[in-house]
C-alpha cells in the first residue's frame, strides 16, 4: 500500500501523538504505583477509577505535536517531565510530602545538601529517564509540515478535557469531605481541578497535594500547585482579625514582668533523631549514653513524641522547640517570616547562643536574631563541623559564659547521607538495610558526643547543680513508606514503622526528683512549656499550645493539634507578637 506525502505526514503525526501520550501516561501510573501501591487499599480499582483524570493531561500535552513542524521537542518535554517526577519522588522519599510552590522557590537552600540525594537514588529513580530513552529509540524522526488540521485537533482535545472534567469527574464547585477537612474544587482546564479550601479559614497543603496526585496526575500537579498558590495565597493577617479570646488562655498573667531563669539551659538538637534507636538493636546499644541519661536520677524521658514539622523540616523543628509555635500550613517560616517577632526561652537569658554546624542553611543568621539569641556560632562559608566539633564548642561556651546562660547546639552527622568519617567505630548488622545501618552508626557517633557533654556537666562544680540539659530531635527521618525497612524491622522485632515513628525527649535537671517516664503519646510543642517550667520561667508571657509534661493536672489539652496549628498559622502570619500589647 502506498501513501501520498500528505497521508504519510498525517500518519506519523498520529503515531508520535499516541506514543508521546502513552509515555506520559505510563510515567504517571508508575509514579502513583511507587508512591501509593503499598498504602492504597484496592489499588487496582483505584487505578481504574482515576484513569480518565490521568489520561487527560497526557492527551493535552501530546496534542501539540499537531501544531509544530518539529515534534522532536517531545523528547525535551519528556526530560522535563522526568525532572519534575524525579524531584517529587526524591522529596517524597525524604519527607513524605510532594513538592509545593514554596519549596520550589527555596531550592537554593540545597547548597551543601546535594550529597544527601545519593542515599535516595535507586531503580525507581532511574526508570523514568529509561522510559524516555526507549521513547527516543521508537520515535519516528520525521518533520511533518502539514498543520492545517492541527488547531482543529487541539480544539477536539480541549473539548474532551471539558467534557471529562465537567461531566465525568465532578461538577464544578462540588465540595469533597475527606476526614475532617473540606476541600473545594475549581476547574483549571486543561489540567482537571485544583482544590482550595471552602467553609474553612485554612487547609493543610500536604493533605491537598496527596489528594490531588491520587485523583489526578503528577504531571498536571505542576501547574495545579502553582494555581493553588494563586487561588489561595498566604496573605498577611491583620492583628484585629484574630479572635483574642482564643489566644488569651495561652498568655501568662504576669505579662509585663521579665522572666528570670533559675538554671542554665543546654539544648542539644539531634538531627533526625527517632526513638527506636534507644532500644538495643541486634544486641548493640547504639545510643547507650542517651539511654543511660533517660533512666538516671533527675531525668525525664518521653519516647512517644510526635514530630510536627511541615515543609521546613529542621527549621520547623527549631521553631517548635524554641517558641512552642507550630509551622505555617504552607511554606517555610525562616524564609517567609524571618523579620517577625517570636517568643522564645532564649529571651529570658542575658547570655545565649546557637551553635550551628553548617553555615548559611535555613537562614540561621536571621532566625538567631528572631529567636532572641545573642550569638550565632558557626563555621565559615562552605565548611561543616562534625558533631565532635559542636560538642567541643558547647563545652567551651559552658566554661566561659557568665551564668545563667542558654545554648542550643545542633548535631549534623545523622543527616542524610549518614556520613561522619572513619574516626568512630562502626557496627555492621547482617541483613539490615544499608540506609538504616548507616543511620544507626551516625546516631552512635552523635550519642558519644552527647555523653561527653553530659559527663562534663556532672564533673563541673559550677554546672552540676544548676544546669538543665535537654536532648531531642528536630524531626523524624523515615517518613515515606519503605516496605524494605518495615519488613526488616518486623522480622527483627524492632519497634519501627515508616510514617509511624516517634522522637524522644530526654531531660536532665537537678530540679527533677527521681526518674520520670512518660509513656503517653505527646507532641513536639510540649517541649517548650516543659523547658519553661524547668528553668523557672513559667511567668513568661507566652505559654504555647503544648502542655508541661511535668504537670499532672494538664492531662487534658485545651485545644487539639489541628486547632493549635490553625492558631499558630495565624499568629505567625499576622506577626502577632510584634503587636501584642502585653509583650
Amino acid at each position: 500500500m502506498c501513501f501520498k506525502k500528505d497521508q504519510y505526514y498525517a500518519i506519523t503525526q498520529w503515531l508520535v501523538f499516541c506514543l508521546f501520550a502513552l509515555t506520559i501516561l505510563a510515567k504517571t501510573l508508575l509514579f502513583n504505583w511507587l508512591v501509593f501501591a503499598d498504602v492504597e487499599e484496592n489499588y487496582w480499582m483505584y487505578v481504574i477509577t482515576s484513569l480518565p483524570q490521568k489520561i487527560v493531561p497526557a492527551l493535552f500535552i501530546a496534542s501539540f505535536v499537531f501544531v509544530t513542524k518539529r515534534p522532536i521537542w517531545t523528547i525535551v518535554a519528556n526530560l522535563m517531565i522526568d525532572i519534575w517526577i524525579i524531584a517529587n519522588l526524591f522529596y517524597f522519599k525524604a519527607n513524605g510530602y510532594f513538592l509545593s510552590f514554596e519549596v520550589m522557590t527555596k531550592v537554593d537552600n540545597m547548597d551543601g545538601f546535594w550529597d544527601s540525594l545519593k542515599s535516595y537514588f535507586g531503580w525507581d529513580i532511574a526508570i523514568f529517564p529509561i522510559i524516555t530513552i526507549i521513547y527516543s529509540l521508537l520515535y519516528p524522526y520525521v518533520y511533518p509540515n502539514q498543520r492545517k488540521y492541527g488547531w482543529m485537533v487541539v480544539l477536539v482535545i480541549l473539548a474532551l478535557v471539558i467534557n471529562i472534567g465537567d461531566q465525568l469527574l465532578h461538577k464544578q464547585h462540588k465540595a469533597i469531605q475527606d476526614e475532617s477537612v473540606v476541600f473545594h474544587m475549581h476547574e483549571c482546564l486543561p489540567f482537571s481541578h485544583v482544590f482550595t479550601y471552602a467553609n474553612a479559614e485554612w487547609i493543610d497543603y500536604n493533605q491537598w497535594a496527596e489528594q490531588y496526585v491520587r485523583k489526578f496526575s503528577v504531571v498536571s500537579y505542576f501547574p495545579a500547585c502553582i494555581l493553588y498558590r494563586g487561588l489561595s495565597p498566604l496573605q498577611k493577617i491583620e492583628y484585629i482579625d484574630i479572635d483574642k479570646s482564643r489566644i488569651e488562655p495561652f498568655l501568662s498573667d504576669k505579662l509585663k514582668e521579665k522572666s528570670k531563669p533559675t538554671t542554665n539551659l543546654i539544648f542539644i538538637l539531634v538531627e533526625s533523631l527517632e526513638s527506636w534507636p534507644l532500644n538495643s538493636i541486634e544486641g548493640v546499644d547504639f545510643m547507650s549514653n542517651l539511654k543511660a541519661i533517660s533512666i538516671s536520677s533527675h531525668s525525664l524521658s518521653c519516647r512517644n513524641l510526635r514530630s510536627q514539622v511541615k515543609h521546613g523540616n529542621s527549621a520547623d523543628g527549631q521553631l517548635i522547640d524554641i517558641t512552642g509555635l507550630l509551622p505555617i500550613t504552607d511554606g517555610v517560616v525562616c524564609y517567609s517570616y524571618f523579620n517577625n517577632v517570636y517568643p522564645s526561652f532564649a529571651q529570658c537569658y542575658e547570655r545565649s547562643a546557637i551553635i550551628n554546624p553548617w553555615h548559611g542553611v535555613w537562614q540561621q543568621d536571621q532566625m538567631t536574631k528572631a529567636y532572641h539569641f545573642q550569638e550565632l556560632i558557626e563555621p565559615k562559608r562552605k565548611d561543616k563541623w562534625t558533631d565532635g566539633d559542636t560538642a567541643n564548642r558547647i563545652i567551651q561556651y559552658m566554661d566561659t559564659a557568665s551564668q545563667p546562660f542558654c545554648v542550643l547546639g545542633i548535631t549534623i552527622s545523622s543527616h542524610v547521607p549518614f556520613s561522619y568519617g572513619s574516626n568512630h567505630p562502626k557496627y555492621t548488622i547482617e541483613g539490615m538495610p544499608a540506609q538504616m545501618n548507616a543511620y544507626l552508626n551516625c546516631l552512635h557517633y552523635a550519642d558519644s558526643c552527647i555523653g561527653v557533654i553530659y559527663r562534663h556537666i556532672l564533673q563541673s562544680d559550677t554546672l552540676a547543680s544548676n544546669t538543665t540539659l535537654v536532648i531531642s530531635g528536630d524531626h523524624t527521618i523515615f517518613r515515606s513508606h519503605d516496605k524494605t525497612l518495615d519488613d526488616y524491622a518486623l522480622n527483627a522485632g524492632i519497634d519501627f514503622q515508616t510514617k509511624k515513628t516517634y522522637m524522644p525527649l530526654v531531660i536532665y535537671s537537678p530540679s527533677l526528683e527521681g526518674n520520670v517516664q512518660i509513656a503517653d503519646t505527646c507532641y513536639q510543642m510540649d517541649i517548650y512549656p516543659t523547658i519553661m517550667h524547668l528553668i523557672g520561667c513559667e511567668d513568661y508571657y507566652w505559654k504555647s499550645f503544648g502542655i508541661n509534661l511535668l504537670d499532672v493536672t494538664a492531662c487534658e489539652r485545651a485545644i487539639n493539634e489541628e486547632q493549635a496549628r490553625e492558631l499558630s498559622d495565624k499568629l505567625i502570619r499576622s506577626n502577632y507578637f510584634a503587636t501584642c500589647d502585653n509583650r
Side-chain angles (χ1 to χ4, degrees), residues 226-240:
I226 297 174
L227 287 167
Y228 176 97
R229 184 66 174 84
L231 289 170
S232 53
L234 287 179
Q235 299 175 346
K236 291 284 186 179
I237 298 176
E238 294 296 332
Y239 173 77
I240 57 174

Side-chain angles (χ1 to χ4, degrees), residues 417-466:
F418 308 135
S419 175
Y420 59 86
S422 58
N423 296 326
H424 192 77
K426 297 181 180 179
Y427 295 90
T428 301
I429 307 297
E430 186 176 354
M432 178 179 284
Q435 188 181 42
M436 182 183 284
N437 205 157
Y439 171 71
L440 288 172
N441 278 311
C442 288
L443 286 183
H444 186 236
Y445 172 53
D447 178 75
S448 69
C449 298
I450 292 171
V452 170
I453 296 170
Y454 175 62
R455 287 187 290 272
H456 184 83
I457 293 171
L458 294 183
Q459 295 167 5
S460 172
D461 294 336
T462 59
L463 296 173
S465 62
N466 66 339

Side-chain angles (χ1 to χ4, degrees), residues 48 96 102 106 208 214 277 318 383 440 453 534:
I48 294 172
E102 298 290 338
K106 305 299 183 294
W208 167 81
R214 278 175 183 266
Q318 278 191 39
D383 289 340
L440 288 172
I453 296 170
L534 289 171

Side-chain angles (χ1 to χ4, degrees), residues 233-299:
L234 287 179
Q235 299 175 346
K236 291 284 186 179
I237 298 176
E238 294 296 332
Y239 173 77
I240 57 174
D241 289 342
I242 300 179
D243 185 353
K244 290 185 180 181
S245 65
R246 298 182 68 190
I247 306 300
E248 287 175 353
F250 306 101
L251 298 174
S252 172
D253 294 333
K254 300 179 181 179
L255 299 176
K256 294 186 179 180
E257 294 183 15
K258 185 173 179 59
S259 300
K260 295 182 180 180
T262 56
T263 73
N264 304 314
L265 175 62
I266 302 167
F267 196 141
I268 302 176
L269 197 58
V270 181
E271 173 66 39
S272 307
L273 178 61
E274 299 190 352
S275 293
W276 58 273
L278 270 70
N279 300 316
S280 178
I281 308 294
E282 302 288 355
V284 179
D285 283 325
F286 285 94
M287 303 204 74
S288 57
N289 289 292
L290 190 57
K291 183 177 180 180
I293 299 172
S294 70
I295 60 176
S296 67
S297 297
H298 308 296
S299 70

Side-chain angles (χ1 to χ4, degrees), residues 119-170:
S119 63
Y120 297 114
F121 187 86
W123 69 267
D124 50 352
I125 299 292
I127 193 67
F128 294 97
I130 289 175
I131 293 175
T132 298
I133 292 172
I134 294 173
Y135 171 84
S136 302
L137 295 175
L138 296 175
Y139 172 78
Y141 287 93
V142 294
Y143 301 94
N145 58 8
Q146 300 296 313
R147 294 187 291 167
K148 59 183 178 180
Y149 301 111
W151 288 110
M152 185 181 298
V153 174
V154 171
L155 291 175
V156 171
I157 298 296
L158 284 175
L160 174 65
V161 172
I162 293 171
N163 181 64
I164 294 178
D166 193 45
Q167 300 296 327
L168 299 182
L169 300 184
H170 296 286

